[in-house]
Amino acid sequence: MYRFEEYDLIIDARCEREYAEDHIPGAINLPVVNDDEYAEVGTLHRTDKMQAYLIGVEYSLKNIARHLESVIAKRSRRDRILVYCFRGGKRSRLWFDALDTIGYKVQRLPGGWKGYRRWVNEQLETYPREFSYVVLSGPTGCGKTRLLYQLETEGAQVLDLEAIAAHRGSVIGAIPGVPQPTQKYFDSLLLHVLSRFSSERTVWVEAESKKIGDVQLPPALLETMHSKGALLQVSAPMAERVRLWREDYAHFESDPDALVERLAYLRSLVGGKEFDLWRGLAGSRKIPELFERLMIAHYDPSYSRSMKRNYQMLTDVPRIELHDLRPAALNNCARNLISRFG
């Protein structure tokens, strides 16, 4: 496994577009050539390689000089630096030569990002199976995610998949103003989190489906959670669940019509009468009643079907009753769970 934590600075020498798609977590983007320059050099390379390299190096020296002044000059000369580009070729070599000449302890990543990406895929095929999971299940709004946060606060190893995915996990789960990572960067972030865990300690995680928004979970993780994870059933009173929804989905409380329109694809599933009831509650701004009805008529039955489909054992599952979803109450529950399950 790569030991990226051994470096004080990791430089991604690729252009901005490549960096945005995926990069080593913690790496900073100091492009040798930017998006437009990269496209220009690539186009010219098809007809005149020598001229393309001439222009590319010219751009590179100017850009590296600017990065040296704005970023590198502020670093300690004792810093260990790792630099990479797409395949570990010319762009990282230009950075390496500059930093090595100055006197930094610098290394290039063998195989570059392409090699790193291959390694991520290989790791995610097996590495998630090395851990023992406690899986928090329960209907939407019952406080599973908040309980995970309190477990982490109390020192538990928590794998918050929805936080990594920047999504709450349903068709209405997008977080306003927060884009999801690409699939590749989600994979990188997930492996980064797992690599910091100890296989000798329990990993706490929330039950999830195959996808969280637009990103997919690795099969090895899902299969291990489904077949070997210790399952806990979390529940909370409906009044608390509605209060949680009103806090977490405040943007829909101010625009309930948008919420109902987002769920329009469910009309054929729940029936026209039920969907018209949702629309009526939204139109009359009866928000608590709308949220409760959505959970009773759709989310709770849907979650129940998903659990029966994905988990082998649903009988004799320990139940965790959360009567109060405020942090202080969940904090006490988290301590008790850690003492019981590790």
Side-chain angles (χ1 to χ4, degrees):
M1 179 171 287
Y2 288 119
R3 307 290 297 181
F4 296 121
E5 68 276 8
E6 296 178 355
Y7 297 95
D8 301 292
L9 176 64
I10 301 176
I11 296 174
D12 187 318
R14 300 173 302 156
C15 65
E16 299 92 335
R17 176 186 54 78
E18 294 171 293
Y19 178 85
E21 182 185 19
D22 179 40
H23 55 271
I24 297 171
I28 65 171
N29 189 208
L30 299 179
V32 168
V33 289
N34 63 32
D35 286 339
D36 293 337
E37 293 164 348
Y38 186 69
E40 178 187 350
V41 172
T43 300
L44 183 58
H45 188 270
R46 300 190 190 103
T47 57
D48 190 338
K49 291 184 179 180
M50 182 67 73
Q51 186 66 18
Y53 288 138
L54 177 64
I55 294 174
V57 171
E58 181 182 348
Y59 284 145
S60 299
L61 294 177
K62 290 178 180 178
N63 290 330
I64 289 175
R66 187 176 68 257
H67 298 320
L68 287 173
E69 181 180 7
S70 62
V71 177
I72 303 302
K74 302 174 184 177
R75 307 291 307 194
S76 168
R77 292 205 175 189
R78 291 188 295 273
D79 283 357
R80 295 192 61 195
I81 301 175
L82 178 69
V83 60
Y84 68 94
C85 59
F86 183 69
R87 291 191 181 89
K90 292 181 173 60
R91 287 182 286 178
S92 61
R93 180 58 186 266
L94 286 165
W95 253 123
F96 176 90
D97 287 344
L99 295 169
D100 184 60
T101 299
I102 295 170
Y104 283 103
K105 296 178 181 179
V106 58
Q107 290 180 306
R108 297 164 69 196
L109 183 67
W113 173 85
K114 194 171 183 180
Y116 161 77
R117 182 66 202 167
R118 184 168 53 250
W119 172 78
V120 169
N121 289 334
E122 291 170 352
Q123 289 294 309
L124 289 179
E125 289 178 359
T126 58
Y127 195 54
R129 302 185 193 278
E130 297 186 11
F131 300 96
S132 298
Y133 300 91
V134 174
V135 183
L136 301 182
S137 66
T140 183
C142 71
K144 302 185 295 294
T145 301
R146 293 189 179 190
L147 181 55
L148 277 182
Y149 177 80
Q150 292 302 324
L151 284 163
E152 187 170 35
T153 299
E154 291 299 314
Q157 286 190 149
V158 168
L159 180 59
D160 191 342
L161 294 168
E162 292 183 1
I164 299 172
H167 198 280
R168 295 193 178 101
S170 72
V171 71
I172 62 171
I175 302 173
V178 181
Q180 282 198 267
T182 65
Q183 180 66 55
K184 291 177 181 178
Y185 190 47
F186 172 80
D187 293 342
S188 288
L189 290 171
L190 173 59
L191 183 58
H192 175 69
V193 172
L194 288 175
S195 69
R196 298 163 65 186
F197 287 169
S198 168
S199 60
E200 297 179 357
R201 297 179 58 205
T202 297
V203 174
W204 295 79
V205 65
E206 183 177 341
E208 300 287 356
S209 58
K210 293 180 180 180
K211 293 185 69 177
I212 302 178
D214 291 330
V215 299
Q216 292 187 331
L217 302 184
L221 175 61
L222 280 173
E223 290 166 7
T224 308
M225 288 168 56
H226 291 168
S227 62
K228 298 181 181 179
L231 194 64
L232 301 181
Q233 177 71 34
V234 179
S235 63
M238 181 57 74
E240 281 294 290
R241 295 172 63 192
V242 170
R243 185 174 66 81
L244 182 147
W245 261 40
R246 297 187 74 178
E247 293 174 357
D248 286 357
Y249 295 98
H251 54 293
F252 285 134
E253 176 149 2
S254 61
D255 189 4
D257 297 320
L259 168 61
V260 174
E261 289 306 312
R262 184 75 63 87
L263 298 173
Y265 79 103
L266 294 173
R267 185 184 184 97
S268 61
L269 178 64
V270 301
K273 184 177 180 180
E274 179 65 34
F275 188 79
D276 289 343
L277 175 59
W278 299 353
R279 180 169 284 163
L281 292 172
S284 58
R285 297 304 189 259
K286 294 182 178 180
I287 307 303
E289 293 86 347
L290 171 62
F291 285 172
E292 179 174 345
R293 190 63 200 176
L294 287 173
M295 286 189 265
I296 291 174
H298 171 64
Y299 280 96
D300 288 3
S302 177
Y303 192 85
S304 179
R305 291 192 297 269
S306 175
M307 291 300 295
K308 289 178 181 178
R309 182 171 60 250
N310 291 321
Y311 286 87
Q312 298 174 1
M313 299 295 293
L314 287 175
T315 57
D316 300 323
V317 175
R319 296 182 62 86
I320 309 299
E321 301 284 347
L322 302 178
H323 300 289
D324 187 341
L325 299 182
R326 288 173 293 189
L330 293 178
N331 191 261
N332 292 328
C333 178
R335 291 197 195 100
N336 292 333
L337 287 175
I338 292 172
S339 66
R340 288 174 60 187
F341 298 99

